[in-house]
Structure formats: C-alpha cells, structure tokens
Amino acid sequence: LMKEFELYSIVSHSLRKVFLSIKGIYYQVEIMSQKITWITPYKFSQRLPFDVDYRIMKTFLEFHMTLLEFINFKLFRDLGIEYPPAIIEENLDDDYLFATHQQQIRDMQKQVSQKMNSVNIKSDISKEFAEVPEIQKMDQAQAERMKYSNIFSKCYFYLSREVPLYSLQFILLSTGANFGYGMESSPVQEKDKMITHQVVDKEERLLSLKKGREYVQPQWIYDSFNNLVLLPAGSYHPGKAPPAHLSPFVDNSKEGYLPTRQREINDFKGVEERIEMIDEDDSGAESEQEEEQQIKKVTKMGDVSESDSESEGDPQQNLKKIKKQLAKETKELGKTLMSRKNKRLYQKYQETKKVKKEQIKKLENKRKQIEAKQQIICSYFPQFL
C-alpha cells in the first residue's frame, strides 16, 4: 500500500519536502491542496520490544490498511489509472521497483500530465471569476507543480551501490530526472558519458574520478530539492563534511532566526528572507529606568532656555521619546483592562516569546563557538581552508 501511495506521488508530481532526521526520512506531499506528512524508517534491522501487545496494534493496522487501500483506489481512479497498478502487483517484493521500471512510470507521468494540462484553469473560467482568490490559488498550485517536476530534468545521475536507492529513486522520479544505479538492470552503466552527476558516499581516494561529471554526496539531492535550485556541488564533494542539512518544515521568519547555511543559499538564489524580530519585553528593569530618565529630560525642557534645549538634543528625538512613553502607557492600560482569560493568553504569549529568545541566543552562541573553532583549526591546518 505504501508503494502504491508513493507511485501516485511520483506520477502526479506531488512531493514537496524531504528531511533526513535521526528517526527516519520525513516526506511531505500536497494532494488536492492538502499537505500530508509521514516518516519512513531507514533500512536497518529493527529491534522489536517485548513489552508491547502487538495484537492490539494489529487490530488498528487492519483498519488503517483497509482505509488506505480505499484512498489509493480513489486517487488512481481520479488520474484515470487502473487500480491496483500492474507494476506493483508484479513486483511486490522488489524494494527498487521504481528504479527498474523507469520507462513505464514516465509513460504514466506523460498520461497524467496531458490530462492535467488539458484542464486550463484560465481558459475554462470567465473573466469575472479569474481574480477570485480560490482560482488564483489553483493557478499557483499548477505553476508550483511544474517547478517541482523539472528540478533535475536536465541531469543524468548514476547512483552508486552504497547510497540509499530506496529513497533517492522516489525523489528523482518525482522531479523528472534520469538515473542509473549499481545493478545489472540499470539502463546505463558507470562508464557512460551521458552521466552528469554521480552520487557516492565514499572518500575521494577510493574513487576513480572521470572528467565531465560532478561527484556529490546524497545530501546534495535532498538540499537541492528542498530549495528548488541546483546548489553548488563543491560543498558536497566526496570526502568533505557536507553543509548543515536544514529542515524545510521550519519557518525561519516565524522563528526569528536565520541559519548561516540558509543565508548562503538565499544569496546564491538571489532571495531576501525577512525575519520577524522578537520585541524586547518592556517590563525589564533596565529599560524602565532608561525611559524614566528620558521622560525627566523631556519635562525639564520647558523650563530650560533655547540654548540649553539645543544642548539637550534634537527636538524630533524628544518627540519620539514622548510617543514611546505614551505607547507604553497605553499598553499598560490595556493590560489592566484585560479580562482574566485574555491576561492568561497574554502571559502564555510572553512566555513563549521568552523561550524563543533564549533558543535564538543559544543558537547564535553555538554558531559563534563553531566559527571560532573552525578559525583555530584552519590556522593550524591550512589545508582545510
């Protein structure tokens, strides 16, 4: 059933996000404007605990298997594809069936693309409803689908035996890529000249590098997919420590912190990402003392001569200070007029804001420590530069 759902995601180009975590691989697809996220474990031997009642879990499993089978049936029927797909029925035990049946999957993708492209949103709707937000969202979703379906369309990959083919085949087929792999059923072999990128997970000294192709680690594919751009391959060269693998599920603008790696990617893409700065809490003792001193200075200005007022500072700055004090007073007045329920919500909001500020400070301090260590290492070992 999971293979059927992945096949649907490949054929309909629904994959949107991928993240490699300690727990497993997180995937997110967008189907009918609904985002679905799930986690897939790595292909390691699993140790099953003995203190779990598997009979109860089996009952829930049977229910969800029946539900998922009906969902898959409905999804494939909407695309006009027979269910169950013949590819999966004939190769149930093959973990790499997507890689071994690339041509059949591409034929299915062409069939679905022709069906989707035949439904032109703008031409089928009158001009009166063309500016409706729902129609614009549908148009944006169609344009986004085209972007994700062509990220690696100009690349030809060769996946070495040591890389996770069971995950990479899902991403590459969803993005229009052609690829070979380290098996006899591969459409191309390692020596083929049409290969543009070879994905390896070995040190450079163990490889026989060929001219005319890029050698990258598997993380390059995941990072390029999440950022919708082919990132520079030099940072992912075999033997090098790859850059930080950032989660696409984190909204940097809301968190108030932009990682250094994301800044580098944004500079490469030519994109500016705005970060919502968390305001400092006005209830701090130091800020209150400073503002009280500023208010005293402003009130004394009426009793001071013009020459003295010029020495105090610019009148525009004093006006800003007065406005700031008035805003603080209105804020305090608003707090006193709040109901108990609203006060609790406000206190929770302030607490979460403090936690976020502490987390941001920790991340910034950690980044400074890492940069300092890197400078020390590079000063003693210039070859790492």
Side-chain angles (χ1 to χ4, degrees):
L1 293 173
M2 199 63 235
K3 290 177 184 177
E4 292 174 359
F5 186 76
E6 288 181 356
L7 178 62
Y8 173 85
S9 302
I10 291 171
V11 171
S12 59
H13 299 290
S14 302
L15 188 61
R16 293 293 176 269
K17 294 178 182 179
V18 185
F19 178 61
L20 304 173
S21 73
I22 298 173
K23 296 179 180 179
I25 306 174
Y26 285 88
Y27 298 101
Q28 186 180 90
V29 296
E30 188 172 354
I31 299 172
M32 299 178 187
S33 301
Q34 299 296 321
K35 294 179 180 178
I36 304 162
T37 307
W38 75 94
I39 182 172
T40 302
Y42 295 110
K43 298 290 183 181
F44 299 142
S45 57
Q46 302 291 332
R47 292 184 179 180
L48 300 177
F50 294 102
D51 57 346
V52 177
D53 192 347
Y54 293 101
R55 293 174 296 177
I56 298 174
M57 294 180 65
K58 186 179 179 182
T59 305
F60 286 97
L61 179 62
E62 289 174 355
F63 169 75
H64 285 97
M65 284 179 66
T66 306
L67 178 63
L68 184 57
E69 187 175 3
F70 175 76
I71 292 170
N72 289 344
F73 166 76
K74 186 70 172 65
L75 292 173
F76 278 98
R77 284 296 296 269
D78 290 345
L79 292 180
I81 300 174
E82 293 183 1
Y83 183 83
I87 299 175
I88 296 176
E89 283 293 302
E90 296 171 359
N91 304 275
L92 283 174
D93 299 329
D94 188 2
D95 291 333
Y96 312 113
L97 66 94
F98 298 144
T100 54
H101 296 81
Q102 294 182 45
Q103 190 57 47
Q104 296 180 24
I105 292 173
R106 289 195 187 93
D107 293 339
M108 295 168 69
Q109 286 176 332
K110 289 179 182 178
Q111 178 184 346
V112 173
S113 297
Q114 289 174 359
K115 183 179 179 180
M116 289 185 174
N117 293 334
S118 62
V119 181
N120 193 339
I121 297 172
K122 292 183 178 179
S123 63
D124 294 342
I125 295 173
S126 60
K127 295 180 180 179
E128 299 176 357
F129 300 98
E131 301 299 326
V132 176
E134 287 77 8
I135 303 302
Q136 290 181 351
K137 285 182 180 179
M138 292 172 65
D139 193 17
Q140 290 175 0
Q142 194 169 4
E144 187 179 7
R145 176 181 162 275
M146 293 300 295
K147 286 182 181 178
Y148 278 99
S149 62
N150 295 316
I151 301 172
F152 299 121
S153 58
K154 296 181 180 179
C155 303
Y156 208 117
F157 294 90
Y158 184 82
L159 310 179
S160 300
R161 289 179 176 271
E162 67 274 7
V163 303
L165 178 59
Y166 59 90
S167 175
L168 294 175
Q169 64 178 354
F170 182 28
I171 301 170
L172 295 177
L173 286 172
S174 299
T175 53
N178 296 299
F179 65 94
Y181 46 93
M183 296 183 185
E184 295 180 357
S185 57
S186 174
V188 295
Q189 298 302 319
E190 187 177 358
K191 297 179 180 179
D192 205 307
K193 293 182 179 180
M194 68 173 64
I195 296 170
T196 59
H197 295 78
Q198 185 166 343
V199 185
V200 297
D201 198 7
K202 296 178 181 178
E203 294 183 6
E204 186 179 358
R205 59 186 179 82
L206 302 174
L207 300 170
S208 56
L209 302 181
K210 297 177 178 58
K211 294 182 180 180
R213 68 174 67 173
E214 295 282 358
Y215 287 84
V216 294
Q217 299 180 46
Q219 185 183 323
W220 180 81
I221 294 177
Y222 296 101
D223 290 349
S224 297
F225 173 78
N226 289 329
N227 291 282
L228 281 174
V229 65
L230 298 181
L231 297 173
S235 302
Y236 300 87
H237 195 75
K240 281 188 177 181
H245 179 54
L246 304 177
S247 173
F249 298 96
V250 176
D251 190 347
N252 296 320
S253 60
K254 290 183 179 179
E255 292 295 325
Y257 176 76
L258 187 65
T260 306
R261 177 57 182 166
Q262 191 61 53
R263 287 178 185 168
E264 295 173 356
I265 295 173
N266 291 344
D267 293 340
F268 177 74
K269 294 169 67 176
V271 176
E272 292 185 4
E273 189 172 354
R274 293 184 179 180
I275 302 298
E276 295 179 4
M277 299 301 294
I278 299 174
D279 297 331
E280 295 291 335
D281 194 0
D282 294 333
S283 60
E286 295 180 359
S287 60
E288 284 185 351
Q289 290 177 359
E290 290 177 359
E291 287 179 357
E292 285 177 1
Q293 291 176 0
Q294 291 171 359
I295 293 164
K296 288 178 181 178
K297 287 181 181 179
V298 174
T299 53
K300 288 180 181 178
M301 285 184 65
D303 301 327
V304 183
S305 62
E306 292 182 358
S307 60
D308 293 334
S309 63
E310 289 176 359
S311 63
E312 287 284 340
D314 191 2
Q316 292 182 355
Q317 292 181 357
N318 296 324
L319 184 61
K320 288 180 181 178
K321 293 171 185 176
I322 294 170
K323 287 182 178 179
K324 188 177 180 182
Q325 177 63 18
L326 289 173
K328 182 187 174 183
E329 289 178 357
T330 53
K331 185 177 179 181
E332 292 295 330
L333 182 62
K335 288 180 184 178
T336 57
L337 296 174
M338 281 182 183
S339 63
R340 288 184 179 179
K341 184 178 179 181
N342 290 336
K343 280 182 180 179
R344 287 184 201 136
L345 292 172
Y346 182 75
Q347 287 174 358
K348 287 182 180 179
Y349 169 72
Q350 291 294 335
E351 288 173 2
T352 54
K353 199 162 68 169
K354 285 181 181 179
V355 172
K356 275 190 177 181
K357 284 163 62 177
E358 290 174 359
Q359 289 177 349
I360 291 169
K361 285 181 181 178
K362 285 181 181 179
L363 290 170
E364 288 176 349
N365 292 332
K366 190 176 181 181
R367 184 176 66 188
K368 289 178 182 178
Q369 291 175 1
I370 291 170
E371 289 175 354
K373 287 180 181 178
Q374 287 178 347
Q375 289 179 357
I376 293 170
I377 292 170
C378 293
S379 63
Y380 283 101
F381 304 98
Q383 64 268 25
F384 289 105
L385 285 171

